[in-house]
Structure formats: structure tokens, C-alpha cells
Amino acid sequence: METDFDIFVIGGGINGCGVARDAAGRGLNVGLAEMNDLAWATSSASTKLFHGGLRYLEYFEFGLVRKALIEREVLLKNMPHISWPMRFVLPYHEDMRFDTNTPTSKLLSTIMPWMKGRRPAWLIRLGLLMYDNLGGREILPGTKTVDLTQGPEGAPLKGKFTKAYEYSDCWIEDSRLVVLNARDAEERGATIMTRTKVISATRIDGHWEIVTEHDGVQATHTARALVNAGGPWVEDVVREVARLNTSEGVRLVRGSHIVTRKLFDHDKSYFFQGEDGRITFAIPYETDFTLIGTTDAEHENLAEKPYATDEEQNYLCAFATQYFEKPVTRDEIVWTYSGVRPLYDDGAKSATAATRDYVLSLDDNGAPLLNIFGGKITTYRKLAENALKKLIPLVGGGVPWTRDAALPGGDFKVAERDQLVADLLGSYPFLTPTWALRLIKGYGTQARDILGAAKAPDDLGRDFGATLTEAEVKWLMAREYAVRAEDVVWRRTKLGLRLTQDQIDALDIYMAG
């Protein structure tokens, strides 16, 4: 039977959009449905890092860390507008305590019981040496020791911290990553349906019949294979949408973050180890702010939208205050966000210990159904590649191709970003340096497509505030699936940090018109 699609993907987060892009690029006919905006849930609520997961070495997750470290630079090269190198400062003090339940802690308690949960400096350095070399590096610099009594890194910290280790990872604009994968998928022939809920999926005569609903109107689609990238809703899709049984599941873990006014005057991030064994990052954010996170808390009810509770906000403030000389208080917080991470349920005792690796479960008892459990943003491309490895024998399609393929706007080298900003300022002298940098970080080489032939700000149409113009909004609506103001100010950009509620309301009215 001729079907509408070779593959139909449920879920418009990073895994779903990554699979759709990979499949479309192999010549397959792909449909994707997302019940809300792209990256509406987990994929816009991360700590926004491409990283190997330094702390996973504590759990002897060497394979997971190695895979992520290898991917880190692959991704950086393919999207240097939305991802960039970042240095992390790990302050060390001999009395620091680590999680006593990790395999590393249990081993040390046997061979070095007098340490009582502490880590000798040589062991930290050994872990960082492994982190530097497990995946190989071409662009990112390696670890070095930092004297915190000299230089800006130690200035905001308490005096007891005199030594630190500095290592590399990468920043990623998570929600833009999702949108650009969806855009590239569509440019390669995929059909992307946002704010479209999948009501049912049924196996009929060797294919899938999928019923969707958008703005109250139902439609029926057929597909040879179904990919369940529902994220936190992955089990619901299996049981309620496809009406099948499964013994596999996810552990729902809420991760909350706070954004404060700027807490330090340099561009490096901090990796803080807490007295409870957990870790937290403090990261320069959107020029004038600091991002602190994350928490790990069980989230039992998906019907309850995640938010940073008072307890979590207090916890993160107290955590950071263990390190910063000036106490971090709730008064410093300007925004919070929270997401539910769907971790594969491997029976771990705590949310912190649960694996961040993914599981791809293929049900080929009839038309193929591939369920995606877990995963982390750094390994999304490999996850998609491995998902297609399972599906290609069943539905056909070409060879892997995404390793060396830039995302839209990312067709330049990592070291060329500053020159792109300078060139943009030269071509459009009415831009401010901050405005030009924001456009390059968001759109890369396609920033010029938004600005067009403009000679002055007025040529870009209405000014919505904080350098957001009508020309940019029209681009986002036409090219990046934006429908409402929240899509623009919190997921396509982070200008919600700078716009007033009245300005956001005015944008909503404009977009609704």
C-alpha cells in the first residue's frame, strides 16, 4: 500500500526533530507532529550545555561520557552560531564532600576510609585528565590549574578557595537547536506539524494509520513506520495513543534553574560541588545574567506543569552561597524555568544516579514502532543516527550524513564568529554591537536574510523593544514555526528577560493578527 509517509514522528523535541532531519536527508518521506510549540517542554529547559558529563565518571559511565565527548566537537563544528566553547572553573578545597553512594565513593571508602567522602586533589585531576582524552579534542583546550588568588576567576569566591581546575565544554542554545533541526528537515522534504496532537495510531494491514488534531480539525495520515519521541510522554504514547503494552518506562526527573542578575565579571562558568554530593553550574547568561542549576527531583504527575518550587529556588541560592563571597538570595532571581527529564528507568536508587543514556526499543510485530527512552541533548545526533540504523532495513533510505552537515546558518568555522559580527556591523552600521552579536548567535550567516536591504532601523518595521523588530518576527513566523509571543521571546530568543509584560502582550496581539 502507498502511504503518506515512510516515517511518522510523534514529538517535536530534540530527539524527534533530530530523527526527522536525519531521515529526510536520507530521502525518506517524513511527517512530524508536536502537540505544542517545538521544544515546548524538556528540550528548552536544559542547562544548555554540550558536555560529556564530568560527574558521570563517578558512576563509571565511561561509555556514555566517551560518546558525548566525541559528539561535542562534531556538533560545535556544525552549529557555531548557536554553540560555542566555554571554560569551566572547578574550585577545589580539601574538605569538599562528594556523593557517598557512587561507585567511586564506595571504592575509595574501601581503600582510603580516612577520606570520609572527600576527594584527594590528584583524583580530581585524574578524572579531568580522562575527560580531556576519552573523546579526543581538536578545538577545545585541555585542563589547567588556576590560582584563585590571582585573576578574575577567584574574585567572586570565598577566600578559602585558593585553587581550581579549569576545563572545557560547550554552550548550546537548546530550543534553537530543535527549531533548526526541524527547519532543515522541512527543507529536505519533511512535513512539520506544530500544535498538532496525535489522537491515535493504529496498525492496519502492515502500516500505521495516525489521526491528528489541529485547531479542532482532525486529519488522518498513513505511514510505514512510527517513531515515538514523546519524551516525558513516551509511555503515554505507547499505552494511550498506540494502545499497546510495554514493560519499559521512564523515570520523570524535574530539573529546575534560576536566572539571577549578573554575579561575576568574566565569561567563564563555575562547576560547584555541594556538601550533599550534587553538582551545580553557575554560567554567564545572556550578557547581563547568571544561570544556576540544576536540581534533581522526582516528578510524579505529568499533568502538573513543572516549575521551580520555593524549596528548589532556596536550595540553588544556598548551594551557590557555599562558594560566592556575596550571598545569593531570592531577591537576585529574575526568572526561573523547569523541565521534566525522561530518564530511562534502570532501577537506580535516586534521580541523580539514574542513567542519562538512551534506549531505542523496536517493536516490529507488525508495522514498525520505535520507542525512544531517555537520552541527553549532547547525543541527540547519534541517537537519531542509531534510530535510523534500526529503521533503514525496514523502510529503506540512504546512508548516514549528518556528521559533517551544518545546520541552517552554521556554515562557517568556529573561529570566524567574531568576524561575522564585525562584517554585519560593517554592512549595517545602524546596528549596535550587542544587537549584531545577538543576530549572529541566533541566525549565523542567515542574519543578513532577516536584515535584507535595510539602511536604518525603521526599514525593519515595528520596534517591539530590546532590538526585536517586525522583520525578525515575520521571519520567525514564516520560517521557524513561531505562532505566539512566548515562542519568540522564550524559545526562539531569550528577549523575555528584557521585555516588559506590556511589550510581550503587544507582540502577542500583533502575531494573532
Side-chain angles (χ1 to χ4, degrees):
M1 173 187 168
E2 187 75 20
T3 57
D4 300 325
F5 301 107
D6 295 312
I7 294 175
F8 193 96
V9 181
I10 301 176
I14 187 53
N15 290 336
C17 290
V19 169
R21 178 194 183 222
D22 193 329
R26 298 182 193 228
L28 295 170
N29 192 359
V30 180
L32 180 147
E34 161 56 44
M35 63 180 174
N36 289 294
D37 183 27
L38 297 174
W40 170 80
T42 307
S43 294
S44 60
S46 73
T47 311
K48 311 186 192 310
L49 299 176
F50 280 152
H51 66 126
L54 180 59
R55 74 181 181 87
Y56 305 145
L57 293 178
E58 282 271 321
Y59 294 91
F60 298 163
E61 293 245 27
F62 302 118
L64 172 65
V65 174
R66 184 173 187 275
K67 282 189 294 186
L69 287 173
I70 292 171
E71 268 301 281
R72 195 177 53 175
E73 290 200 8
V74 171
L75 299 174
L76 176 61
K77 292 174 185 175
N78 287 338
M79 54 196 80
H81 49 332
I82 62 170
S83 180
W84 49 88
M86 186 170 276
R87 295 291 279 173
F88 289 78
V89 177
L90 193 166
Y92 176 78
H93 189 269
E94 61 183 10
D95 290 331
M96 287 167 53
R97 291 294 194 276
F98 288 69
D99 188 345
T100 57
N101 293 313
T102 69
T104 298
S105 286
K106 291 175 180 176
L107 179 62
L108 282 179
S109 68
T110 301
I111 62 176
M112 300 173 68
W114 60 90
M115 294 301 293
K116 298 180 179 178
R118 298 191 299 270
R119 295 287 184 277
W122 64 263
L123 187 62
I124 303 291
R125 191 64 185 86
L126 177 62
L128 288 165
L129 180 66
M130 293 176 62
Y131 200 72
D132 279 346
N133 293 288
L134 266 176
R137 290 176 294 107
E138 293 180 20
I139 299 173
L140 301 175
T143 298
K144 70 175 186 178
T145 303
V146 177
D147 181 356
L148 293 178
T149 65
Q150 308 290 323
E153 299 89 352
L157 302 179
K158 291 181 176 177
K160 71 177 184 178
F161 297 106
T162 60
K163 176 182 180 179
Y165 299 105
E166 184 180 302
Y167 69 96
S168 293
D169 266 323
C170 296
W171 177 262
I172 177 61
E173 297 287 350
D174 54 3
S175 50
R176 289 208 56 72
L177 174 66
V178 177
V179 170
L180 292 180
N181 270 272
R183 269 192 59 201
D184 202 37
E186 186 173 64
E187 289 171 8
R188 297 173 189 275
T191 301
I192 306 297
M193 296 168 270
T194 64
R195 292 181 163 85
T196 302
K197 186 176 179 64
V198 176
I199 304 300
S200 66
T202 308
R203 281 179 169 131
I204 297 177
D205 297 331
H207 69 273
W208 285 97
E209 186 173 279
I210 302 120
V211 178
T212 60
E213 184 174 278
H214 175 76
D215 286 343
V217 178
Q218 291 193 356
T220 301
H221 318 270
T222 55
R224 296 168 64 195
L226 188 67
V227 174
N228 173 11
W233 293 271
V234 62
E235 288 184 67
D236 289 354
V237 171
V238 176
R239 294 192 172 98
E240 306 300 327
V241 175
R243 297 183 295 279
L244 299 171
N245 294 320
T246 179
S247 60
E248 295 175 298
V250 289
R251 185 172 192 160
L252 301 178
V253 177
R254 185 177 66 252
S256 295
H257 298 76
I258 59 175
V259 175
T260 68
R261 287 185 280 271
K262 192 173 184 178
L263 299 178
F264 46 89
D265 294 318
H266 59 79
D267 61 359
K268 297 175 182 177
S269 298
Y270 290 103
F271 178 114
F272 292 152
Q273 181 75 46
E275 293 176 356
D276 59 356
R278 280 196 39 75
I279 64 103
T280 289
F281 295 101
I283 303 172
Y285 190 59
E286 295 292 317
T287 306
D288 299 316
F289 307 95
T290 300
L291 171 65
I292 300 175
T294 179
T295 59
D296 275 336
E298 304 286 353
H299 190 86
E300 303 294 342
N301 185 7
L302 265 179
E304 180 182 309
K305 186 175 180 179
Y307 67 95
T309 64
D310 288 343
E311 181 182 5
E312 287 174 308
Q313 292 182 50
N314 289 334
Y315 171 81
L316 290 172
C317 286
F319 202 123
T321 298
Q322 294 175 39
Y323 284 82
F324 288 122
E325 184 65 44
K326 181 182 177 184
V328 180
T329 67
R330 294 278 294 274
D331 292 339
E332 300 285 341
I333 298 174
V334 298
W335 182 50
T336 68
Y337 67 89
S338 187
V340 176
R341 300 190 292 274
L343 308 181
Y344 183 70
D345 192 352
D346 59 354
K349 290 183 179 179
S350 70
T352 301
T355 183
R356 266 57 175 175
D357 212 345
Y358 59 82
V359 172
L360 302 176
S361 178
L362 179 64
D363 174 356
D364 57 0
N365 184 27
L369 167 64
L370 183 69
N371 296 307
I372 300 174
F373 296 94
K376 61 198 293 281
I377 196 167
T378 311
T379 51
Y380 90 90
R381 190 196 67 85
K382 286 299 292 183
L383 182 153
E385 202 168 75
N386 287 326
L388 269 296
K389 189 175 182 180
K390 288 179 175 287
L391 291 172
I392 290 294
L394 303 172
V395 299
V399 299
W401 62 277
T402 57
R403 181 180 176 87
D404 299 309
L407 285 176
D411 49 338
F412 63 96
K413 295 186 184 302
V414 174
E416 294 174 350
R417 192 186 72 182
D418 290 346
Q419 188 59 51
L420 252 66
V421 175
D423 291 347
L424 198 68
L425 284 167
S427 300
Y428 301 93
F430 61 85
L431 295 175
T432 64
T434 301
W435 188 357
L437 179 60
R438 181 181 75 77
L439 291 175
I440 293 298
K441 282 184 172 181
Y443 309 101
T445 56
Q446 296 187 337
R448 291 175 178 271
D449 297 337
I450 296 173
L451 297 171
K455 302 295 183 185
D458 287 349
D459 295 335
L460 297 172
R462 183 172 169 181
D463 177 7
F464 291 101
T467 74
L468 181 65
T469 64
E470 187 173 5
E472 185 175 354
V473 173
K474 283 183 174 179
W475 165 276
L476 293 172
M477 294 176 72
R479 303 289 296 277
E480 295 197 0
Y481 319 99
V483 175
R484 298 172 186 164
E486 67 174 90
D487 305 345
V488 171
V489 305
W490 292 119
R491 285 183 286 278
R492 307 308 183 273
T493 75
K494 288 295 181 287
L495 291 176
L497 289 166
R498 303 180 187 280
L499 294 168
T500 67
Q501 189 57 53
D502 286 346
Q503 288 173 315
I504 294 173
D505 291 343
L507 175 61
D508 233 348
I509 293 169
Y510 170 84
M511 294 178 70

